[in-house]
C-alpha cells in the first residue's frame, strides 16, 4: 500500500508542481486552473493508486469500543450522504474564509464542510425507516435543478463575453446580471462581477462600477486585479483617498506590482508624502534600472523636494536617451527655472516646441520664461501663438497683463 500511495501522490503533486507559473499572484485564465487540476480528477491514475492504497490498509483495520461505535461507524455509514451533499454546503461556506491565506482557507473550508455534512447526514439517517434513503432522494431531486441553473448561468456568461468582444456593452451588462442572478452562489460570480464593473466603467458609470468591484471583493478581498480596477475607477472619480488605500492593499499582496507602485508614488507626491513616493520609485528602479516612468517620476520628486541638481542630471539622462520626447525637455526647463537658469530653460522649451509645434501650453511656458528674462515683447508673441493654437485668451489674461497689454 505504501509504494502505491507514494507513487500516486507524486503523480498528483508532480503534475500540479510542474504547471505552477513562476509569477505570484497568478494572472492567467481559468483554463490554467483546469489544467493544473487534471492530475486529481476522479479517475486519474494518481487518485486511483492512492485510493487503492487506502483501501488495502483499511482491509486490515479492526476496531471495537465506544469510539468506534459512536463515531467511526456512524460516519462511515453516513459517508455517502456526506458526499452527495458536500457541494451544496461548499457553495455556502467557501466565501466565509476569503480573507485568509490559501492553505488556511482550504483547511478551514474542508473542516467546516466535513462537520456540517456529517451532522446532517448522521441526523437524517436516524429518521426511522426512510432515513437512510433520504439523502440519495434529495440529492437526486436537487441535482437536476442545480445543474440546469448552472448551465443557464454559464450560457448567459458566455453570451455576455461575446457581447463584450463586440463592444455591445449595454447587452453585456444585462447578460452578466442575469448570469449572476441565475446562480447566485456560484464561485464564478466573482469573475462576472469584475467584468460587470469593467463594462459599467467603459460606459462611464463609475459609481456603478465601484459597487460591482466592491461586491466582487467581498468574495475575494485580496484579489489584485479587482483592487487595481477599483483603484483606477476611484481615481477617475477623483476619490484619491480611497484609490490610495486600494493601491496600498495591492502592494500588501504584491509588493512589486509596477502599476500600483507608479500610481501610489504619483498620489503620494500630490499628498506631500515624499518618503512614500521615494520608496516606491526606488523599488521600481531596483527591479528595473531602465524604467523610464520611474526615472521621470523620481526626477520630478527631486525637483519638488529641492534636490535640483539631481533632478537636472536625471532629466538630462532621459533627454539623451529619448531625444524625441518633448515632455522631458519641458520638465528640465522647469527645473532650470527653479535654478534661475532661464536661458537654459528657453533652449529646452525651443527644442520641445520644435518636437511638438501644435502644443499651445509649450508656448505658454515659453512666454513665462521670457517674462522671467524681462523680454515682454517676445513673451506677448508667444502668448499670441498660444491663443492661435487654441487656448482661450481670457485664460492668459494675467500673463498678458505682465507683458504690459
Amino acid at each position: 500500500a505504501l509504494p502505491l500511495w507514494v507513487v500516486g501522490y507524486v503523480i498528483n503533486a508532480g503534475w500540479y508542481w510542474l504547471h505552477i507559473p513562476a509569477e505570484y499572484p497568478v494572472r492567467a485564465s481559468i483554463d490554467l486552473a483546469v489544467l493544473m487540476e487534471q492530475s486529481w480528477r476522479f479517475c486519474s491514475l494518481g487518485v486511483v493508486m492512492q485510493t487503492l492504497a487506502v483501501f488495502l490498509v483499511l482491509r486490515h483495520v479492526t476496531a471495537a469500543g465506544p469510539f468506534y461505535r459512536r463515531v467511526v461507524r456512524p460516519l462511515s455509514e453516513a459517508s455517502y450522504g456526506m458526499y452527495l451533499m458536500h457541494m451544496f454546503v461548499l457553495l455556502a461556506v467557501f466565501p466565509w474564509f476569503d480573507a485568509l491565506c490559501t492553505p488556511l482557507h482550504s483547511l478551514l473550508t474542508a473542516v467546516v464542510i466535513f462537520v456540517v455534512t456529517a451532522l446532517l447526514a448522521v441526523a437524517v439517517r436516524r429518521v426511522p425507516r426512510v432515513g437512510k434513503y433520504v439523502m440519495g432522494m434529495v440529492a437526486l431531486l436537487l441535482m437536476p435543478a442545480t445543474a440546469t441553473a448552472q448551465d443557464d448561468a454559464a450560457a448567459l456568461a458566455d453570451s455576455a463575453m461575446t457581447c463584450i468582444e463586440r463592444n455591445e456593452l449595454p447587452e453585456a451588462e444585462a447578460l452578466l446580471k442575469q448570469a449572476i442572478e441565475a446562480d447566485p452562489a456560484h464561485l464564478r460570480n466573482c469573475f462576472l462581477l469584475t467584468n460587470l464593473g469593467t463594462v459599467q466603467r467603459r460606459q462611464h458609470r463609475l459609481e456603478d462600477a465601484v459597487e460591482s468591484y466592491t461586491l466582487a471583493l467581498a468574495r475575494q478581498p485580496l484579489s489584485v486585479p479587482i483592487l487595481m480596477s477599483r483603484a483606477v475607477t476611484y481615481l477617475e472619480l477623483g476619490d484619491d483617498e480611497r484609490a490610495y488605500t486600494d493601491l496600498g492593499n495591492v502592494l500588501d499582496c504584491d509588493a512589486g506590482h509596477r502599476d500600483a507602485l507608479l500610481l501610489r508614488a504619483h498620489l503620494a507626491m500630490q499628498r506631500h508624502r515624499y518618503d512614500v513616493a521615494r520608496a516606491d520609485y526606488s523599488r521600481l528602479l531596483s527591479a528595473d534600472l531602465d524604467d523610464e516612468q520611474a526615472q521621470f517620476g523620481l526626477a520630478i520628486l527631486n525637483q519638488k523636494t529641492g534636490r535640483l541638481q539631481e533632478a537636472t542630471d536625471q532629466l538630462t539622462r532621459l533627454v539623451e536617451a529619448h531625444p524625441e520626447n518633448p515632455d522631458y525637455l519641458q520638465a528640465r526647463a522647469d527645473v532650470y527655472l527653479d535654478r534661475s537658469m532661464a536661458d537654459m530653460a528657453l533652449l529646452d522649451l525651443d527644442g520641445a516646441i520644435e518636437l511638438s509645434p501644435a502644443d499651445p501650453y509649450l508656448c505658454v511656458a515659453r512666454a513665462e520664461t521670457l517674462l522671467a528674462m524681462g523680454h515682454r515683447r517676445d513673451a506677448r508673441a508667444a502668448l499670441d501663438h498660444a491663443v492661435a493654437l487654441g487656448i482661450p485668451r481670457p485664460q492668459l489674461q494675467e500673463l498678458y497683463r505682465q507683458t504690459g497689454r
Side-chain angles (χ1 to χ4, degrees):
L2 182 59
L4 274 175
W5 191 90
V6 170
V7 173
Y9 178 84
V10 169
I11 292 172
N12 290 345
W15 175 274
Y16 182 78
W17 181 265
L18 288 172
H19 290 85
I20 294 177
E23 66 168 358
Y24 184 85
V26 177
R27 300 180 182 89
S29 71
I30 194 67
D31 294 336
L32 175 62
V34 173
L35 176 66
M36 292 168 68
E37 295 178 3
Q38 289 298 306
S39 64
W40 61 77
R41 292 174 66 86
F42 291 141
C43 297
S44 63
L45 179 61
V47 170
V48 171
M49 294 176 73
Q50 287 187 277
T51 304
L52 181 57
V54 171
F55 274 102
L56 287 174
V57 171
L58 291 178
R59 286 178 66 248
H60 297 281
V61 173
T62 58
F67 182 75
Y68 173 74
R69 292 194 305 272
R70 295 175 184 175
V71 178
V72 176
R73 184 166 180 174
L75 287 178
S76 299
E77 293 173 344
S79 61
Y80 186 59
M82 294 167 62
Y83 165 72
L84 290 175
M85 77 168 75
H86 86 279
M87 280 304 297
F88 301 109
V89 180
L90 171 63
L91 294 175
V93 169
F94 192 85
W96 294 359
F97 308 111
D98 279 345
L100 303 177
C101 61
T102 300
L104 194 56
H105 184 292
S106 300
L107 177 63
L108 289 177
T109 301
V111 169
V112 170
I113 291 172
F114 185 88
V115 171
V116 171
T117 55
L119 292 173
L120 288 173
V122 170
V124 170
R125 278 187 62 83
R126 293 188 176 181
V127 177
R129 296 185 181 179
V130 298
K132 63 182 179 180
Y133 304 111
V134 169
M135 278 300 153
M137 293 170 61
V138 171
L140 288 172
L141 290 172
L142 288 177
M143 285 173 65
T146 303
T148 300
Q150 292 180 348
D151 290 344
D152 291 345
L156 289 166
D158 289 342
S159 299
M161 296 303 108
T162 301
C163 288
I164 292 174
E165 292 172 0
R166 296 174 179 171
N167 205 34
E168 299 170 352
L169 300 183
E171 295 83 355
E173 180 178 0
L175 288 167
L176 286 168
K177 289 179 178 178
Q178 291 175 38
I180 294 167
E181 293 170 0
D183 192 5
H186 200 285
L187 301 179
R188 178 202 307 115
N189 287 348
C190 182
F191 167 76
L192 297 182
L193 285 165
T194 304
N195 278 280
L196 178 60
T198 302
V199 166
Q200 291 165 333
R201 181 180 162 209
R202 288 172 60 183
Q203 296 179 87
H204 308 291
R205 290 174 30 225
L206 301 181
E207 292 85 356
D208 292 338
V210 166
E211 183 179 352
S212 296
Y213 290 138
T214 301
L215 289 171
L217 286 167
R219 296 166 182 255
Q220 291 190 18
L222 301 180
S223 170
V224 168
I226 305 174
L227 283 167
M228 277 300 300
S229 295
R230 191 173 69 172
V232 172
T233 308
Y234 277 139
L235 284 174
E236 292 173 352
L237 280 168
D239 193 341
D240 291 352
E241 182 66 38
R242 286 191 170 93
Y244 190 86
T245 300
D246 273 354
L247 292 169
N249 290 333
V250 169
L251 293 169
D252 286 341
C253 299
D254 181 3
H257 195 288
R258 182 177 181 275
D259 291 341
L261 285 168
L262 284 171
L263 286 173
R264 189 174 73 168
H266 177 73
L267 286 176
M269 270 202 293
Q270 290 183 336
R271 300 156 69 86
H272 304 291
R273 297 179 181 177
Y274 297 132
D275 54 338
V276 175
R278 189 171 298 278
D280 286 348
Y281 285 132
S282 297
R283 183 177 294 171
L284 284 163
L285 291 170
S286 66
D288 179 8
L289 194 59
D290 296 325
D291 190 319
E292 187 178 342
Q293 289 179 279
Q295 290 175 353
F296 186 50
L298 185 59
I300 300 303
L301 175 62
N302 283 330
Q303 180 188 9
K304 287 181 177 293
T305 53
R307 297 162 71 164
L308 300 180
Q309 184 60 56
E310 287 183 56
T312 303
D313 294 342
Q314 289 161 340
L315 288 167
T316 297
R317 287 194 290 271
L318 284 169
V319 168
E320 291 172 351
H322 307 280
E324 75 290 346
N325 192 329
D327 294 338
Y328 300 147
L329 285 167
Q330 184 180 7
R332 189 171 66 175
D334 197 32
V335 176
Y336 279 140
L337 279 178
D338 288 346
R339 297 178 64 186
S340 300
M341 300 170 67
D343 52 342
M344 298 295 292
L346 189 62
L347 285 173
D348 274 354
L349 287 170
D350 288 342
I353 291 171
E354 185 177 346
L355 290 170
S356 183
D359 187 343
Y361 294 99
L362 287 174
C363 296
V364 174
R366 189 173 190 276
E368 292 172 335
T369 304
L370 289 165
L371 282 171
M373 299 172 71
H375 300 164
R376 293 185 178 183
R377 181 177 298 177
D378 291 338
R380 273 198 305 272
L383 291 173
D384 290 341
H385 193 195
V387 171
L389 289 173
I391 294 183
R393 186 184 178 93
Q395 290 186 15
L396 305 176
Q397 195 62 43
E398 177 57 27
L399 289 174
Y400 269 117
R401 187 190 63 77
Q402 294 178 38
T403 67
R405 288 179 63 183

